[in-house]
Amino acid sequence: MGISKFYTIYKIVIPNCLRDIVATILLGYNYAIGATAPIMFCMAVINSPISFNISKPGMSLSYHLYTLMTQGISMEMAYGTAFVLISLIVFVTVVFQFLLRKKGENIE
């Protein structure tokens, strides 16, 4: 047809698939938020300062909740952590549903 692969990908394919790409990333994030076991065995630490560096160990909300509940440290903090975790999951799910309904698909 006379057009390059670069033009086809960046001007035709990506604009048509952008919502699906974002929805897939959001679903993957939503799944990873709740997956405690892989985080426990791969990168979790018991006490970690806040760090935005991906190469440093960190504590996820699900592992933090697990630690608070099993150690009996603070039930108030455990309920707060559970609320934040569930709120994040609900928020990501609502965004995902909004993106798909905007496209015209119906996911139930």
Side-chain angles (χ1 to χ4, degrees):
M1 292 252 175
I3 58 175
S4 67
K5 287 182 182 181
F6 178 81
Y7 182 85
T8 305
I9 290 171
Y10 286 105
K11 296 292 183 175
I12 297 171
V13 175
I14 290 183
N16 288 327
C17 298
L18 192 59
R19 286 193 186 121
D20 294 331
I21 292 169
V22 171
T24 303
I25 290 170
L26 289 175
L27 277 178
Y29 173 76
N30 210 10
Y31 177 74
I33 258 182
T36 305
I39 295 169
M40 284 173 54
F41 295 116
C42 295
M43 68 166 276
V45 294
I46 297 210
N47 194 357
S48 172
I50 295 174
S51 174
F52 295 103
N53 189 350
I54 196 165
S55 65
K56 291 186 178 179
M59 181 178 264
S60 69
L61 283 174
S62 54
Y63 188 65
H64 181 67
L65 178 62
Y66 172 78
T67 303
L68 289 174
M69 293 297 291
T70 57
Q71 301 294 324
I73 297 170
S74 172
M75 291 305 289
E76 291 82 15
M77 288 174 47
Y79 283 121
T81 303
F83 177 75
V84 169
L85 182 63
I86 290 173
S87 298
L88 273 171
I89 290 172
V90 168
F91 174 74
V92 170
T93 304
V94 167
V95 168
F96 169 71
Q97 290 290 330
F98 175 73
L99 286 175
L100 284 184
R101 288 182 198 264
K102 190 174 181 182
K103 187 176 178 183
E105 298 177 11
N106 192 3
I107 300 293
E108 293 182 17

